[in-house]
Amino acid sequence: MKIIRRIPSLPLVGLGPGTLTASICWNLWIVRNQLTFQKRDFSPEETLSKAIREAREWSLAQISPINPKLRPPSINQDPPPSTDVPCMYTDAAWNASIGCAGLGWIIDDTTSSSSSYSATAIFVKSPLFAETLAMRRAMTSAIDKGITSLLILSDSQILIKLLNTRGRKLEIAGLLNDIYLLSNAFNAIQFKFIPTEYNDRADSVAKQALYIMS
């Protein structure tokens, strides 16, 4: 007697072609990193469920709202009128061949003093991913230093636009969620785009951090 096992199929999730596939690949990559570096193990069912949920959230975010009044309030992009707010410049340098990035940020406080910081990251798949990592790491640094109001400046126009509109992008969905949550730790926070030539200090720090890894 031949026994045929029935293999369960994926649920009907109502997503466009390619969206679920990209989300599954992304979540497999995250699960792999968590298992490797944090010894955290997730079942295939948990991973698939999370991939479907994030893919659906991303798809819904691409739909323009019928009523503009229902859009979440955007974060003010204009520079603060007061000089009592510290400024933080962030940047990243990415090496595609090794998938690593150097992260750099500069904090100019209200006493006219400046401090530079850097970090490194592995398994970085794009320049935008690197820029978002740098932003998240810099915000964590500011929180650790007790800074409660902050103007963050970056030369990544795509990232700043996403942050100021509370946008979504599947490639950096998890990092964006982290930044939105970290924003709640500040009494006031603003994100502003600046041209690359005005971000040379953070750029230099990021490149030095990447050079050490190469």
Side-chain angles (χ1 to χ4, degrees), residues 98-157:
I98 60 176
C100 295
L103 317 177
W105 62 98
I106 306 291
I107 298 180
D108 292 341
D109 62 25
T110 55
T111 62
S112 299
S113 66
S114 179
S115 303
S116 63
Y117 306 88
S118 66
T120 56
I122 58 176
F123 303 115
V124 181
K125 62 178 184 177
S126 72
L128 179 59
F129 196 92
E131 293 278 1
T132 314
L133 278 173
M135 179 82 70
R136 184 184 67 173
R137 184 65 183 84
M139 291 176 67
T140 302
S141 173
I143 292 172
D144 291 342
K145 294 182 179 305
I147 296 175
T148 57
S149 297
L150 189 63
L151 169 63
I152 302 180
L153 304 106
S154 168
D155 57 16
S156 175
Q157 194 165 15

Side-chain angles (χ1 to χ4, degrees), residues 31-47:
V31 168
R32 180 260 186 196
N33 286 348
Q34 289 178 329
L35 179 61
T36 302
F37 300 105
Q38 301 180 17
K39 307 304 179 183
R40 297 178 62 189
D41 192 12
F42 295 89
S43 69
E45 291 78 10
E46 291 174 321
T47 304

Side-chain angles (χ1 to χ4, degrees), residues 43-204:
S43 69
E45 291 78 10
E46 291 174 321
T47 304
L48 178 59
S49 176
K50 186 172 181 290
I52 293 174
R53 183 175 66 255
E54 291 184 356
R56 183 179 290 114
E57 290 176 354
W58 184 86
S59 295
L60 291 175
Q62 309 313 303
I63 303 174
S64 299
I66 298 176
N67 184 356
K69 294 181 180 180
L70 298 180
R71 292 176 63 92
S74 62
I75 301 173
N76 185 11
Q77 191 178 1
D78 295 327
S82 171
T83 57
D84 295 334
V85 178
C87 295
M88 183 166 67
Y89 299 78
T90 72
D91 205 354
W94 179 59
N95 187 322
S97 62
I98 60 176
C100 295
L103 317 177
W105 62 98
I106 306 291
I107 298 180
D108 292 341
D109 62 25
T110 55
T111 62
S112 299
S113 66
S114 179
S115 303
S116 63
Y117 306 88
S118 66
T120 56
I122 58 176
F123 303 115
V124 181
K125 62 178 184 177
S126 72
L128 179 59
F129 196 92
E131 293 278 1
T132 314
L133 278 173
M135 179 82 70
R136 184 184 67 173
R137 184 65 183 84
M139 291 176 67
T140 302
S141 173
I143 292 172
D144 291 342
K145 294 182 179 305
I147 296 175
T148 57
S149 297
L150 189 63
L151 169 63
I152 302 180
L153 304 106
S154 168
D155 57 16
S156 175
Q157 194 165 15
I158 295 176
L159 177 58
I160 294 299
K161 183 178 180 179
L162 285 169
L163 293 174
N164 282 321
T165 58
R166 292 278 176 170
R168 294 277 184 177
K169 192 172 182 62
L170 187 58
E171 176 189 355
I172 54 173
L175 295 175
L176 285 175
N177 285 336
D178 289 345
I179 290 176
Y180 296 148
L181 290 174
L182 289 172
S183 297
N184 296 328
F186 296 90
N187 294 332
I189 186 168
Q190 298 173 325
F191 300 94
K192 183 177 176 61
F193 167 75
I194 56 172
T196 303
E197 56 266 28
Y198 295 124
N199 204 28
D200 56 335
R201 292 183 299 160
D203 176 68
S204 176

